[in-house]
Amino acid sequence: MRRAKINKIIKFSNVDGPGNRMSIFFQGCNYNCLYCHNPETINMCNSCGTCVGSCPVGALSIVDSKVCWDKKLCVECDRCTNICLIDSSPKTMDYSVEELLKEIKKVSGFIRGITVSGGEATLNYEFITELFKEVKKLGLTTFVDTNGSLDLREDIYSEFIKVTDNFMVDMKVWSEKKHKDLTGVDNLSVKKNIEFLGELGKLYEVRTVVVPEFLDNLETVTEVSKLIGSINSKNQLDERIIYKLIKYRQIGVKKENLEGKLLDLTSPADEIMEKLSKVAKENGVQKVIII
């Protein structure tokens, strides 16, 4: 039986796709973004035990050389994730497709669909394919929030794409070098995936985090909006693909990064966001959302 490690389940979300949705966050990511706001989802717990003593309510223990988490005792103070040495969390749970489906069915009457996120959800594409096949039987839509790092044009992903209604892809920065500096990985697959998914009519949204004085935001927004605009024009989907411009915020960012490479960086002013939004619209993106 295939299983996946889940960091968190949000039963009702209005920011992860259209309508009221259940968002499922998978543990594990192949990026290591400097401004990641949930770095505890990056790596798998290695049961080093560093976090166990930090828990004020005894929700963590070591059993058979593994760190175990008692969800009923946990008070969500996050001391364990803050003290973790490897950007991980002991507060994850292993689910089978059947077990996860049981959780979804509890709220299926109140949601429009499911969105899988992370971490990087697509690293679990085989599990998600099985899950989405069952989710669709409930009449719910299926969305994937991804960093776009895996080349989804490859045949091994064909079934995964078939059962996914729409994708939301991050384009963090247009420059390949800067993208590698920011995430540790180049962005060649991201660009190809945006084109590929756009042509399939399965690109719901592209997202860029705007970080003043650190990234060339104007170049990124200009090039991404041109790409979205060309897809819209080609597919005659004038208003379909959303370009979401997200303000950089310090919340959740690792302390060593805030005191290091991201030192003194603040959220962009509204004027900057409006200027970038105008650029995107001039390049053929009809629906730009600033958050």
Side-chain angles (χ1 to χ4, degrees), residues 102-203:
K102 190 178 293 183
E103 296 300 314
I104 294 169
K105 285 180 177 178
K106 292 178 183 177
V107 297
S108 61
F110 306 97
I111 58 176
R112 183 170 170 184
I114 301 298
T115 298
V116 295
S117 184
E120 174 48 38
T122 62
L123 300 178
N124 301 274
Y125 74 93
E126 291 170 303
F127 179 93
I128 294 170
T129 299
E130 291 182 19
L131 176 67
F132 278 4
K133 285 180 180 177
E134 298 302 317
V135 168
K136 283 189 163 297
K137 293 177 184 176
L138 302 177
L140 300 174
T141 58
T142 54
F143 277 55
V144 174
D145 174 359
T146 176
N147 61 24
S149 57
L150 303 184
D151 190 346
L152 298 175
R153 299 172 304 168
E154 296 180 6
D155 290 342
I156 57 172
Y157 303 116
S158 60
E159 191 71 11
F160 169 55
I161 291 173
K162 184 178 179 181
V163 296
T164 302
D165 290 317
N166 266 305
F167 289 80
M168 299 181 289
V169 181
D170 291 340
M171 173 51 85
K172 299 175 188 298
V173 57
W174 188 259
S175 161
E176 291 173 23
K177 180 182 181 307
K178 198 65 181 179
H179 192 276
K180 197 165 185 177
D181 292 342
L182 178 69
T183 68
V185 184
D186 68 47
N187 60 7
L188 295 176
S189 288
V190 185
K191 295 176 182 176
K192 290 174 182 175
N193 281 327
I194 289 175
E195 290 185 69
F196 174 64
L197 295 171
E199 290 175 0
L200 286 179
K202 292 204 171 193
L203 182 60

Side-chain angles (χ1 to χ4, degrees), residues 4-10 16 23-33 35-44 86-89 92 115-125 128 143-150 160 168-170 172 183 207:
K5 198 168 287 295
I6 304 299
N7 178 281
K8 179 171 54 180
I9 298 174
I10 297 177
D16 296 305
S23 295
I24 302 169
F25 293 79
F26 286 74
Q27 183 72 18
C29 186
N30 52 353
Y31 278 8
N32 188 15
C33 299
Y35 59 52
C36 181
H37 67 275
N38 55 356
E40 73 279 1
T41 66
I42 295 175
N43 293 309
M44 298 295 178
I86 62 164
D87 296 332
S88 186
S89 171
T92 59
T115 298
V116 295
S117 184
E120 174 48 38
T122 62
L123 300 178
N124 301 274
Y125 74 93
I128 294 170
F143 277 55
V144 174
D145 174 359
T146 176
N147 61 24
S149 57
L150 303 184
F160 169 55
M168 299 181 289
V169 181
D170 291 340
K172 299 175 188 298
T183 68
R207 297 179 298 195

